[in-house]
Amino acid sequence: MSYLVPARYYLVILRGVILKGSGLANYPDQVGFLAPMRCSCSD
Amino acid sequence: MQFLLDGIDSNTASTLLGYARALTAEENAELFARALDRAPGNARLALGAAISYQPRVWFNPELRSTQFLVPGLIGLILMLTAVISTALSVVREKERGTMEQLRVTPLRPLQLLAGKTLPYLVISLLATAIILVSARVLFGVVVKGSYLDLFGATLLFLVGHWDWGCSSPVRPTAGDGVPGGGGERDPTDDLPLGFIFPLRSMPTRCRL
């Protein structure tokens, strides 16, 4: 079930940006999961 | 020999360091025993460790657990404040019957939702900024990446989470998520998301 929760993917990005200094481009899978949700909201 | 470790997850990194140290010591002992057999008597005193153990821990050299916990705390606070508060504000309108009153106003559904979510969006972004400042002042956790990426990801997360809530087949009541409301959230529900414990250190069943 946790694979469906956006927080799981957000935390990976958050730790990467804060601790590793990487950008969103380094996490295409995680961003890709969050972005379709954003698009479907406008339907 | 150099070992490079990702120190963000300090527990796993500590365990790996222990394994690496043990392996190096074992290999050194074997090499030393072989060299001892071959070396002449006066050269034995000059024998030292064959492998020099030099671990390098990236991103969190001191292996501080706060580095792992603070980002998790940001996610947890955002989920509790922004997402649940927004959901409850909509659900309460429905339970009190005031949603029907709102529906007869000239407001469109999208405008109504925007009115409900945008204030919480601003509050959440402010909360994120406050947490980041607190994390820096209290725990010394510094943001190494771009703030633009950080807030962009936060924005995606908040909107994504609201959308996830809107598209959920479960229709919650205002009692859900409120202590004493009859539908309390179990704090352990959030553990498999990686807020506090690293996902990799959990059993497979718990990760799902």
Side-chain angles (χ1 to χ4, degrees), chain B residues 21-57:
Chain B
R21 192 178 293 119
L23 278 172
T24 312
E26 194 178 327
E27 193 65 25
N28 263 338
E30 279 183 26
L31 289 171
F32 186 75
R34 274 186 232 156
L36 206 60
D37 289 339
R38 284 181 299 200
N42 56 354
R44 287 181 183 180
L45 294 173
L47 289 175
I51 301 175
S52 166
Y53 171 68
Q54 291 180 6
R56 294 275 184 277
V57 181

Side-chain angles (χ1 to χ4, degrees), chain B residues 48-124:
Chain B
I51 301 175
S52 166
Y53 171 68
Q54 291 180 6
R56 294 275 184 277
V57 181
W58 281 1
F59 313 122
N60 184 13
E62 296 163 4
L63 290 177
R64 291 189 309 156
S65 56
T66 49
Q67 299 275 356
F68 183 83
L69 290 175
V70 166
L73 204 62
I74 294 174
L76 191 63
I77 290 171
L78 282 183
M79 204 161 126
L80 289 176
T81 56
V83 178
I84 293 179
S85 301
T86 314
L88 285 180
S89 74
V90 175
V91 170
R92 274 200 204 105
E93 295 277 8
K94 202 170 179 182
E95 286 197 342
R96 288 177 185 166
T98 47
M99 185 61 90
E100 303 306 321
Q101 295 172 9
L102 285 172
R103 275 187 179 175
V104 295
T105 59
L107 281 174
R108 291 179 182 174
L110 202 62
Q111 290 171 328
L112 181 62
L113 271 179
K116 284 285 179 190
T117 52
L118 286 180
Y120 286 103
L121 184 72
V122 175
I123 291 170
S124 305

Side-chain angles (χ1 to χ4, degrees), chain A residues 1-8 10-11 13-15 17-21 23-24 31 34-35 37-38 40-41, chain B residues 6 8 59 67-68 71-72 78-79 142 144-146 149-150 153-154 156-157 163-164 193-195 199 207-208:
Chain A
M1 282 299 289
S2 69
Y3 282 100
L4 299 173
V5 183
R8 183 185 179 115
Y10 173 60
L11 285 175
I13 300 173
L14 202 60
R15 289 201 172 102
V17 173
I18 293 179
L19 302 177
K20 293 183 179 176
L24 284 179
V31 173
L34 293 175
M37 297 191 121
R38 182 174 57 84
S40 67
C41 188
Chain B
D6 183 346
I8 287 181
F59 313 122
Q67 299 275 356
F68 183 83
L78 282 183
M79 204 161 126
V142 182
K144 291 179 183 167
S146 156
D149 285 340
L150 183 69
T154 305
L156 271 180
F157 165 68
D163 182 42
W164 181 66
L193 300 178
F195 283 122
L199 286 173
R207 282 188 240 164
L208 295 177

Side-chain angles (χ1 to χ4, degrees), chain B residues 6-24:
Chain B
D6 183 346
I8 287 181
D9 174 6
S10 56
N11 287 332
T12 310
S14 300
T15 310
L16 286 173
L17 272 178
Y19 280 128
R21 192 178 293 119
L23 278 172
T24 312

